[in-house]
Each structure stands twice: as C-alpha cells, then as structure tokens.
Amino acid sequence: MERPFYNVLEEIIPTLVNVMLYSVDFQIYCSCEDCRMRIVVQTLNALPPRYVLNEGQRTIFIDLYNKSYMREKLNQEIIRSIHRVGKRKEECMNCCS
C-alpha cells in the first residue's frame, strides 16, 4: 500500500551525500554503498522529517532547501554523519574490514 505522504528529505539527502563523498574534501572516507546508506540514514535520523502530500508542498520544501542557509544546515549534518561513519570502519563490510 502506497502512502499518500512522504518525507521530502529522503529525496534530497542521498543526492547531497553522494556529492559530498565524491568531493575532494571527503575522498579519504569510504564511499561504498553500505557506508553511503549508513551516512544517509544517520543524517535523516538527525534531521526533523519534512512530510508532504503533493507536488506543490514538495516544491515549497525543495525551494526552501535550495536556499544557502538551509543547504548549510543540511551539509553540516551530513558532515557529522560522514565523520561518525568514518570512525566506525569496523562496521564496513565491503572495504574497510
């Protein structure tokens, strides 16, 4: 059964995580699928959800998170998650064990 609502951050955060992990600043961190997903999940858990019902509401939140001050908040939380996951290399089953 498909829900009539969803958390718009589930659409935004994975893209931002990918962009950050492939940037020069974060190349020392593992970017395997498992580590990326752990970073996404930790980031989503740290942020308040932004549920929407329709495309109009989605557009409002997308526009909001495209503003520099909001993007900075998202980036700060993603960076925290990258560092947390990076410190727990023993949990990486793909490349760090």
Side-chain angles (χ1 to χ4, degrees):
M1 180 172 88
E2 190 172 319
R3 298 182 304 180
F5 56 89
Y6 70 97
N7 180 0
V8 74
L9 289 177
E10 290 179 17
E11 182 180 340
I12 297 170
I13 296 300
T15 302
L16 294 177
V17 167
N18 286 335
V19 168
M20 289 186 114
L21 281 177
Y22 290 110
S23 72
V24 175
D25 296 332
F26 296 99
Q27 286 183 352
I28 63 169
Y29 292 93
C30 180
S31 61
C32 74
E33 182 67 17
D34 182 58
C35 288
R36 278 199 329 265
M37 288 301 105
R38 289 191 300 129
I39 292 165
V40 167
V41 167
Q42 282 194 21
T43 304
L44 287 170
N45 284 333
L47 295 168
R50 299 296 182 211
Y51 289 103
V52 297
L53 288 170
N54 56 50
E55 187 64 29
Q57 291 175 346
R58 177 190 170 276
T59 301
I60 290 169
F61 278 108
I62 295 292
D63 290 346
L64 174 66
Y65 284 110
N66 276 325
K67 295 189 183 307
S68 61
Y69 69 95
M70 290 302 287
R71 183 61 60 90
E72 183 61 31
K73 287 179 165 251
L74 295 180
N75 287 343
Q76 287 172 351
E77 198 56 54
I78 291 168
I79 291 167
R80 279 190 204 92
S81 294
I82 289 171
H83 288 291
R84 279 188 221 116
V85 169
K87 287 181 181 177
R88 301 182 79 172
K89 289 183 180 182
E90 68 279 357
E91 292 180 13
C92 179
M93 304 305 277
N94 297 306
C95 59
C96 300
S97 49

